[in-house]
Amino acid sequence: MIGYASRTGTRRNLDALRRAGWRLMVSARGSLRPERFRYALDNGAWTAFQRSEPFDVPAFDKAVARLGPGADWIVLPDIVAGGLASLRFSLDWLDTLRNRSSLRGARYMLTVQNGMEPGHIVSLAGPEVGIFVGGDTPWKLATMAAWARLAHERGGLCHVGRVNTARRIRLCAAAGADSFDGSGVSRFASALPRLDLARRQPDIEGWIAGRRP
């Protein structure tokens, strides 16, 4: 699986992440410097939610203009804990971004969360629009395998947000996720070896289960 670390300016941590082959998750609400890493562009909605602020459209537009064309993918704006209202908000933004010539060929991730079901987005998922699994932790853990199956059936990617323990990384692997992001390795270089090992380990339990008669 691909691991994306929250962007950090700490040189020691950046060097460790680079050696381990991680990528960066750059937030529209943070410093727009990918530090010569491959990166994905987050929309900044989580930061706004934590601060009880509305979605920052100017910050997102600035980030997309500067970093969107080079990103692995762009997380479509969403409403944290917004359910189907978030889906409608994301789709409005998808239409907007598709009309920008600078983003021709860009890939997007649609955030799914509590209140959404695969049937709501089955016609949207595909090579251009992947699935970003958000929502609260119990919902995320219970549903991420279903979202990964849908993404892969439609030829798209599945990413799981806010994953900061080795156990959660292994659960993402078992669910079939293509990538995940977390802030732990950005803040604490000492956490990287353990989390990177979990990222690199195959889903042994899933492999064993698949070989049982």
Side-chain angles (χ1 to χ4, degrees):
M1 276 192 307
I2 297 171
Y4 288 88
S6 299
R7 190 210 167 273
T8 175
T10 305
R11 187 58 50 191
R12 176 190 174 205
N13 293 6
L14 287 171
D15 289 344
L17 289 166
R18 185 175 284 108
R19 287 193 299 270
W22 285 54
R23 304 180 189 184
L24 292 187
M25 179 70 81
V26 180
S27 171
R29 293 291 300 269
S31 177
L32 302 180
R33 293 172 51 190
E35 307 291 350
R36 301 190 307 278
F37 278 73
R38 288 191 64 172
Y39 63 92
L41 181 59
D42 187 31
N43 58 39
W46 178 248
T47 298
F49 175 75
Q50 289 181 307
R51 298 177 182 177
S52 299
E53 298 172 353
F55 181 72
D56 193 333
V57 173
F60 180 68
D61 276 334
K62 178 182 177 181
V64 168
R66 183 175 299 181
L67 297 180
D72 291 344
W73 34 262
I74 301 166
V75 184
L76 293 168
D78 64 296
I79 302 170
V80 177
L84 293 179
S86 177
L87 176 58
R88 291 189 290 271
F89 185 63
S90 296
L91 294 183
D92 286 344
W93 270 101
L94 178 60
D95 288 340
T96 297
L97 296 175
R98 278 173 166 168
N99 287 325
R100 297 185 183 180
S101 59
S102 62
L103 297 177
R104 190 170 293 115
R107 301 176 85 173
Y108 304 98
M109 296 298 259
L110 175 68
T111 302
V112 295
Q113 52 184 291
N114 302 56
M116 294 187 192
E117 298 178 0
H120 291 136
I121 67 164
V122 65
S123 63
L124 300 168
E128 181 195 17
V129 181
I131 297 175
F132 186 113
V133 185
D136 63 36
T137 298
W139 185 87
K140 181 185 304 181
L141 296 179
T143 65
M144 60 185 178
W147 295 116
R149 282 195 301 272
L150 174 60
H152 297 159
E153 287 169 358
R154 301 287 297 176
L157 299 174
C158 180
H159 176 90
V160 182
R162 301 196 308 279
V163 178
N164 288 301
T165 67
R167 176 179 178 273
R168 295 271 174 84
I169 291 173
R170 288 192 290 268
L171 289 173
C172 288
D178 299 290
S179 59
F180 65 91
D181 71 83
S183 60
V185 291
S186 302
R187 292 179 292 160
F188 308 108
S190 60
L192 179 59
R194 181 177 68 259
L195 299 184
D196 191 53
L197 178 62
R199 176 181 77 89
R200 294 174 183 275
Q201 286 179 329
D203 176 21
I204 298 298
E205 292 183 3
W207 180 82
I208 292 173
R211 291 177 61 88
R212 287 173 183 155

